[in-house]
Amino acid sequence: MKIDKKIAVFLYYHMLRIRMIEEKIAQLYAEQQMRCPVHLCIGQEAIAVGVCANLLKKDYLLSNHRSHGHYLAKGGNLKQMLAEIYGKSTGCSKGKGGSMHLVDLTVGILGTTPIVGGIIPVATGVAFGTQMKEKDNLTAVFFGDAATEEGVFFESLNFASLKKLPVLFICENNFFSVYSPLAVRQPKERDNLALVRSLGIKGSKGDGNNVFEVYALAKKAVADIRKGKGPYFLEFDTYRWREHCGPNFDNDLGYRTEEDFLKWKKKCPLDSLEDKLIKGNILSLSRIESFKRNIQAEINRAISFAKNSPYPETEEMLSDVYAK
Amino acid sequence: MNRQINLAQAVLEATAQCMQDDGSVYIMGLGVTDPKGVFGTTLGLEKKFGAKRVLDMPVAENGMTGIAIGSALVGMRPILTHQRIDFMLLSLDQIINNAAKWHYMFGGKMKIPIVIRLLVGRGWGQGPQHSQSLQALFAHIPGLKVVMPATPYDAKGLLVSAVEDNNPVIFIEHRWLHNTLGNVPLEKYRIPLGKAKVVKEGKDLTIISSSYTTLEAIKVAELFKNEGINIEVVDLRTIKPLDELTIIKSVKKTRRLIVIDSAWRSFSVASEILAQVAEKAYQSLKCAPVRITFPDAPTPTGWALSNHYYPQIEDIINTVKKMLKINKPQRSEKVLDKPLDVPDATFKGPF
Ligand SMILES: Cc1ncc(C[n+]2csc(CCOP(=O)(O)OP(=O)(O)O)c2C)c(N)n1
């Protein structure tokens, strides 16, 4: 796949950044100061970065429980994200939301929520709202394979198709819903593309560990949506490396095999990209080192910001229940 | 027999015995066959009873609830589980419009014997969408029964009754109770739905509680016992139908009432109990009854806030002192020496 060198480096940098941030969270989680569930996206970074590279700042993004990568790729504020996970008043949701409720209105991130499928109709509604207001913002919504089993998925797609809404549905298929594999949740014959097409929505499927492929498919989808052709559905296969919720590895549980895990680890979206870029003389090792130093410094600043931030005052517990 | 098992094991044992005795009982829910088995409450069932009767399901709560209801119409007795009460909110339509009404709206010709097991999350940043206590919501709906066990013994006996009941039963388990131990007989036994239990006799004050709050109530009663104050603790066990008789009897005896309800204050189970007492026993009361509840706000995720969100033992102690006009310092505050967002010191997250 041909891709502009500058874009290739951009994609690499942001995938590396997400990877390093997530690894740092995994490491710091053991200190027991992040006292909330965290769902890490290590292994799945290419989808967030490849899709979001096609979005504009004014475009909207909504997502699910595994949203750190989406948030960062869309330009969400790292300091505020970490402070939120630490439950601090400087967090993006003032310590009321935690890892599963990220928001950054300055870059169009309207919220992330963990009720499976719950965000899909909301995102559809955002697109509906922009259409009614005759605005040209596109809305992107990320969700997992499990969310495509919920009724609201079908209801939302139906409406999006009916109204030709400017919404991009992105399904990250990592084959598991917690520990339940696809085989106990969906018939073998099921084909999401055929399904969405039968609703009048265009769709494509790609390798979620190949960021160029993600980028190219998203580019086409976004261009179509911007031309007013209505909603688009993208599905990418990928794999979550760590446990469903938390910082550890959980292959020992036996719900997936070590072989499968290793097979996917070999397909690491970041390593394979790095390989390509080095072989193509697009990136040098020293440049990569300087990226890493940069990112590490940024992470250190954000962590100390989060750790040194105050906890919210007790009265804050009762504020924000109703809008003024 | 003095056999100690925890509440999760008690639930598992009740389920297995019901499935053993009645081939129409089946269990379905996200993760019932996975290696963690819904916090240990379904472990080994698939091996024992086969994949046909023990099944994982698509993440499609509303549809799957309707499917369970339909199967009940033709003679099956489904148990549906949800790892959090919050997830089954997607199926309120099927529960409220169909399960709760079917028997009534077709003139009693059919029944929907379905048990829906729901877990309430608490602590470790469960936050606004993973920690809701919605007993009042369900109790409000005619046609539903609502059960909230506090001990392993009750969990087993109440679950057996729930499975054998010919109505939809909402069975609410508190996450912080799963690891608590208690005496549980091996044989199958039943605890009738709709009957509260006086777990501690007393004459000075009544505390009415349910589920996890019963543990707190018992702790408080024990602390005051050392001071010569006898608190009566009534564990509701079933929220709907509510055992008004036991409640009124206790209040008439002790003449002082605290209700601890692990839910929001307004329009709560606690509110309903106060209403009952106001209607039927207001003359016996020596002072105004008190509700100890969550404030009317969603659960904040950060522990700095959620620590203050949940009422603590100390709050109950202070309320008792106020009602009994005691100023003496209690030795009791020691119980607070623990992190407040975990059930016990062994808990290390992430959920
Ligand atoms: C309505 C609802 N049902 C169940 C759950 C419990 N749950 C949390 S995450 C999850 C699996 C989600 O899988 P998927 O959407 O594929 O995303 P992934 O975690 O694999 O990224 C489930 C079932 C939930 N949060 N909401």
Side-chain angles (χ1 to χ4, degrees):
Chain A
M1 198 160 301
K2 273 190 85 80
I3 206 145
D4 182 87
K5 281 184 192 175
K6 244 168 89 186
I7 290 170
V9 173
F10 176 90
L11 296 174
Y12 175 78
Y13 184 88
H14 286 279
M15 282 169 64
L16 176 68
R17 181 169 175 265
I18 293 172
R19 173 69 58 92
M20 287 174 68
I21 291 166
E22 291 277 82
E23 294 282 3
K24 190 72 189 173
I25 291 172
Q27 182 202 331
L28 291 174
Y29 198 76
E31 289 177 0
Q32 304 251 305
Q33 295 302 306
M34 304 176 190
R35 298 173 86 87
C36 68
V38 295
H39 302 78
L40 301 176
C41 68
I42 298 171
Q44 308 190 174
E45 300 91 343
I47 305 171
V49 172
V51 169
C52 289
N54 288 288
L55 300 180
L56 304 173
K57 189 169 167 183
K58 67 173 180 190
D59 290 334
Y60 295 120
L61 181 142
L62 297 98
S63 165
N64 63 358
H65 52 285
R66 201 174 303 287
S67 64
H68 298 170
H70 311 139
Y71 180 88
L72 293 167
K74 182 70 171 70
N77 185 303
L78 174 63
K79 283 183 173 171
Q80 290 181 19
M81 177 182 114
L82 286 170
E84 188 58 37
I85 298 176
Y86 274 93
K88 297 300 180 77
S89 63
T90 53
C92 59
S93 305
K94 296 196 241 166
K96 289 172 167 162
S99 159
M100 304 195 292
H101 300 288
L102 302 178
V103 59
D104 189 340
L105 298 181
T106 65
V107 293
I109 300 168
L110 299 187
T112 69
T113 59
I115 301 296
V116 170
I119 202 72
I120 300 175
V122 177
T124 307
V126 169
F128 185 51
T130 58
Q131 188 190 61
M132 290 180 100
K133 293 203 147 226
E134 296 175 11
K135 297 267 171 61
D136 61 356
N137 323 55
L138 181 152
T139 300
V141 56
F142 288 91
F143 46 87
D145 43 285
T148 70
E149 289 149 25
E150 295 285 8
V152 284
F153 172 70
F154 301 91
E155 295 167 23
S156 304
L157 263 65
N158 183 59
F159 188 73
S161 177
L162 179 72
K163 299 289 180 191
K164 297 283 165 277
L165 298 179
V167 53
L168 176 59
F169 299 101
I170 309 116
C171 175
E172 301 180 296
N173 182 359
N174 62 14
F175 307 102
F176 291 94
S177 162
V178 190
Y179 313 118
S180 306
L182 272 181
V184 302
R185 297 180 285 122
Q186 297 178 17
K188 263 210 288 300
E189 297 73 19
R190 179 164 167 173
D191 172 358
N192 278 339
L193 292 188
L195 219 152
V196 304
R197 283 175 188 147
S198 73
L199 289 167
I201 293 181
K202 272 182 288 190
S204 5
K205 185 169 168 81
D207 175 358
N209 281 22
N210 180 340
V211 73
F212 293 160
E213 193 170 323
V214 175
Y215 178 82
L217 288 177
K219 192 177 165 102
K220 163 92 178 65
V222 165
D224 259 34
I225 296 171
R226 290 205 203 281
K227 273 185 229 145
K229 294 189 182 172
Y232 211 106
F233 173 88
L234 294 175
E235 181 172 271
F236 297 107
D237 287 349
T238 185
Y239 207 73
R240 127 175 93 72
W241 289 12
R242 306 251 174 172
E243 58 190 339
H244 163 69
C245 176
N248 303 308
F249 293 96
D250 65 355
N251 297 335
D252 57 302
L253 287 177
Y255 73 97
R256 59 187 194 185
T257 64
E258 189 70 15
E259 289 89 312
D260 218 30
F261 171 76
L262 290 174
K263 189 187 93 196
W264 277 96
K265 211 166 167 220
K266 257 207 206 122
K267 292 200 254 180
C268 172
L270 188 61
D271 288 352
S272 56
L273 177 62
E274 190 173 298
D275 240 32
K276 267 185 228 161
L277 296 186
I278 290 173
K279 283 196 183 119
N281 283 322
I282 295 168
L283 259 185
S284 64
L285 284 174
S286 67
R287 185 124 185 256
I288 291 174
E289 277 317 306
S290 86
F291 283 177
K292 286 187 179 163
R293 276 197 304 277
N294 249 341
I295 296 169
Q296 195 54 60
E298 187 199 359
I299 293 175
N300 292 346
R301 284 194 300 274
I303 298 273
S304 69
F305 171 80
K307 285 192 170 181
N308 294 325
S309 287
Y311 285 108
E313 298 293 335
T314 306
E315 309 80 68
E316 279 288 301
M317 182 175 76
L318 297 175
S319 66
D320 300 321
V321 176
Y322 293 104
K324 286 190 191 80
Chain B
M1 190 175 70
N2 270 354
R3 190 186 58 132
Q4 296 244 317
I5 58 174
N6 70 28
L7 188 137
Q9 290 162 328
V11 166
L12 174 62
E13 196 165 277
T15 308
Q17 290 176 348
C18 289
M19 292 183 76
Q20 192 71 53
D21 291 354
D22 182 349
S24 60
V25 177
Y26 74 99
I27 181 162
M28 172 166 72
L30 284 177
V32 294
T33 59
D34 81 23
K36 299 246 172 118
V38 192
F39 304 103
T41 61
T42 62
L43 284 178
L45 288 176
E46 188 188 17
K47 206 159 159 229
K48 216 181 263 169
F49 299 104
K52 206 170 143 195
R53 290 174 68 198
V54 182
L55 59 153
D56 210 326
M57 66 179 209
V59 191
E61 288 82 0
N62 200 29
M64 295 315 294
T65 304
I67 286 162
I69 291 169
S71 76
L73 278 177
V74 290
M76 298 305 292
R77 303 187 85 89
I79 304 173
L80 203 52
T81 72
H82 297 283
Q83 312 240 13
R84 287 283 180 279
I85 204 168
D86 317 67
F87 307 158
M88 67 73 79
L89 291 179
L90 277 69
S91 55
L92 282 185
D93 164 51
Q94 285 297 331
I95 294 170
I96 298 177
N97 280 325
N98 283 340
K101 310 286 197 298
W102 210 271
H103 184 71
Y104 184 85
M105 72 187 170
F106 296 110
K109 289 180 182 159
M110 285 165 283
K111 55 189 190 216
I112 313 275
I114 171 174
V115 177
I116 305 182
R117 284 183 47 215
L118 304 166
L119 273 55
V120 177
R122 168 169 172 170
W124 205 269
Q126 295 300 298
Q129 294 186 334
H130 274 61
S131 65
Q132 298 173 82
S133 287
L134 300 170
Q135 52 269 28
L137 178 71
F138 302 114
H140 187 64
I141 308 297
L144 297 181
K145 296 187 178 181
V146 183
V147 175
M148 289 180 85
T151 64
Y153 178 85
D154 285 355
K156 180 171 173 182
L158 288 167
L159 185 54
V160 170
S161 297
V163 171
E164 292 177 353
D165 198 282
N166 282 330
N167 296 283
V169 179
I170 307 293
F171 194 88
I172 303 177
E173 293 162 38
H174 196 289
R175 232 338 247 135
W176 282 18
L177 292 176
H178 274 143
N179 297 331
T180 56
L181 289 166
N183 284 338
V184 178
L186 185 59
E187 74 272 8
K188 188 177 176 189
Y189 58 93
R190 294 157 186 85
I191 292 172
L193 305 188
K195 283 259 169 296
K197 183 180 179 187
V198 179
V199 287
K200 277 204 175 301
E201 300 256 1
K203 57 176 178 36
D204 299 318
L205 184 149
T206 296
I207 298 182
I208 294 177
S209 58
S210 57
S211 187
Y212 183 70
T213 67
T214 291
L215 267 52
E216 300 178 316
I218 291 172
K219 233 179 247 175
V220 169
E222 276 163 6
L223 290 166
F224 278 99
K225 199 158 192 161
N226 301 333
E227 317 292 325
I229 292 158
N230 291 308
I231 295 177
E232 177 145 307
V233 178
V234 178
D235 176 21
L236 290 174
R237 303 202 289 195
T238 304
I239 304 295
K240 179 96 170 252
L242 190 66
D243 184 355
E244 292 153 26
L245 242 74
T246 303
I247 293 169
I248 299 299
K249 201 172 140 206
S250 179
V251 171
K252 282 190 171 160
K253 175 164 83 168
T254 68
R255 312 181 71 184
R256 294 183 183 92
L257 173 65
I258 296 173
V259 186
I260 321 176
D261 188 5
S262 57
W264 298 300
R265 184 176 193 76
S266 314
F267 308 96
S268 60
V269 173
S271 307
E272 173 62 22
I273 291 172
L274 258 58
Q276 298 276 359
V277 169
E279 283 175 351
K280 291 171 193 145
Y282 76 101
Q283 279 162 327
S284 349
L285 289 176
K286 280 193 186 157
C287 57
V290 175
R291 287 172 290 173
I292 296 180
T293 63
F294 304 167
D296 285 323
T299 317
T301 298
W303 61 319
L305 294 179
S306 61
N307 274 354
H308 296 280
Y309 178 82
Y310 291 101
Q312 302 296 332
I313 294 264
E314 198 183 30
D315 301 316
I316 308 170
I317 292 169
N318 290 337
T319 308
V320 172
K321 284 195 205 169
K322 220 192 229 159
M323 285 178 103
L324 291 168
K325 303 198 172 71
I326 309 169
N327 297 316
K328 256 193 305 181
Q330 227 71 48
R331 274 164 287 148
S332 49
E333 273 81 357
K334 264 258 78 29
V335 282
L336 288 175
D337 285 352
K338 60 171 178 125
L340 298 178
D341 66 336
V342 290
D344 59 68
T346 62
F347 190 91
K348 302 277 184 250
F351 71 105

